[in-house]
Amino acid sequence: MSALPYWHVDAFADRPFTGNQAAVMPLTLWLPDKTLQAIAEENSFAETAFVVRDANGSADWELRWFTPTSEVALCGHATLAAGHVLLKRDGGDAVTFRTRKAGILEVRAMEQGYELALPITRVEENQLPSLLSALHVKAPLFESVSGAEDTTIVLLEDEAAVRNLQPDMQALGKIDRMVICTAPGEDYDIVSRVFVPAWGVPEDSVTGSAHAALAPFWAEKLGRDTISAYQASGRGGILQCRMDGERVWLGGPCVTVVEGLFHLPE
């Protein structure tokens, strides 16, 4: 039986059992995709981050993310968690990751927590009646036109409308998109909830990649480059968003909950 290093991290969290859970697993070489998917299914977190030293030297590590059902093109919270693990284990002030679809990503250690740089996602207003019907709302809807694919922002009137959403998850699960419902916040600039049942995550806890779309969307509306954000899931999480050209920096702490070994059958 092979033993693989394993960390369970709560990202965008200053204490255990808040923020978003991720598994981080540094590997010496890539395992078969079927095995990576089986491990992610066993972990049963929104994402498991796998990293392997980058052989071509364009970054420190290669990085891939898997939900319990599929590999995804971009995941913010598990990238922050991977940066947390590697910087704590190996030292240093920053670590870079080469990804297959999201380019080079970077995590920096800050005085309190970390900052993660993600490519921004631009959206434009569109129509998707089946999605609004599944959410039981009538609201403006915006679809991604650059950056992360398959992203939708639904703009609601206030924080109460976001918190009170009760989507039809069966209907929403038939729509292959990350659905971000957002509104102006009461204690923070913006509030959101994120639903991704089509990818095996009915409601995500704290979603970094969603804020790669939310930050430029709200920066334009609010007329400034820094935004405080709260994701109003059951676990909840706070993100500090900072626009920087074609990137957004997302700031937040991480907490290691478990450090151990994952035993893989031969």
Side-chain angles (χ1 to χ4, degrees):
M1 179 175 289
S2 300
L4 305 175
Y6 168 92
W7 280 263
H8 168 184
V9 175
D10 288 344
F12 298 110
D14 59 3
R15 64 190 187 279
F17 316 127
T18 62
N20 203 353
Q21 302 174 88
V24 179
M25 300 184 66
L27 307 174
T28 55
L29 50 82
W30 288 117
L31 301 172
D33 286 6
K34 184 177 180 180
T35 302
L36 298 177
Q37 186 62 70
I39 292 171
E41 182 180 2
E42 183 70 17
N43 288 336
S44 198
F45 295 143
E47 265 85 15
T48 296
F50 298 98
V51 294
V52 171
R53 282 286 184 186
D54 187 8
N56 73 15
S58 59
D60 300 315
W61 297 84
E62 292 183 71
L63 170 62
R64 297 171 70 185
W65 313 271
F66 286 76
T67 77
T69 62
S70 59
E71 184 172 9
V72 296
L74 177 64
C75 176
H77 85 277
T79 304
L80 197 78
H84 163 77
V85 166
L86 296 170
L87 291 172
K88 286 285 188 183
R89 188 189 72 171
D90 303 337
D93 298 322
V95 60
T96 55
F97 300 99
R98 178 165 62 88
T99 70
R100 299 196 170 191
K101 294 186 177 180
I104 302 294
L105 307 182
E106 180 180 0
V107 175
R108 295 178 182 172
M110 307 297 288
E111 190 171 321
Q112 294 184 337
Y114 305 89
E115 269 196 327
L116 161 67
L118 295 179
I120 65 174
T121 297
R122 298 287 186 189
V123 298
E124 290 183 356
E125 191 163 3
N126 207 333
Q127 295 185 0
L128 193 56
S130 60
L131 192 154
L132 295 178
S133 176
L135 292 171
H136 307 304
V137 301
K138 294 181 179 180
L141 179 148
F142 303 82
E143 297 273 85
S144 55
V145 293
S146 68
E149 299 175 353
D150 303 329
T151 299
T152 300
I153 290 177
V154 178
L155 179 59
L156 301 178
E157 61 272 20
D158 55 30
E159 182 168 324
V162 173
R163 289 183 177 274
N164 292 334
L165 282 169
Q166 295 185 3
D168 180 340
M169 289 296 182
Q170 185 174 1
L172 207 57
K174 297 176 182 178
I175 302 171
D176 188 21
R177 310 196 66 76
M178 176 168 66
V179 180
I180 308 164
C181 299
T182 187
E186 296 172 2
D187 298 321
Y188 301 90
D189 292 326
I190 66 169
V191 66
S192 67
R193 290 173 67 190
V194 177
F195 306 100
V196 207
W199 303 349
V201 185
E203 180 171 0
D204 202 19
S205 299
V206 191
T207 316
S209 58
H211 288 80
L214 285 170
F217 179 81
W218 281 107
E220 182 176 347
K221 288 185 175 297
L222 298 175
R224 62 177 192 268
D225 291 337
T226 59
I227 295 165
S228 63
Y230 182 72
Q231 191 156 329
S233 65
R235 292 170 65 93
I238 301 167
L239 305 92
Q240 300 299 328
C241 308
R242 176 170 62 86
M243 296 297 298
D244 179 20
E246 291 302 304
R247 298 194 300 180
V248 58
W249 287 90
L250 306 177
C254 290
V255 178
T256 297
V257 179
V258 177
E259 179 181 347
L261 297 173
F262 187 105
H263 295 282
L264 190 67
E266 297 289 352

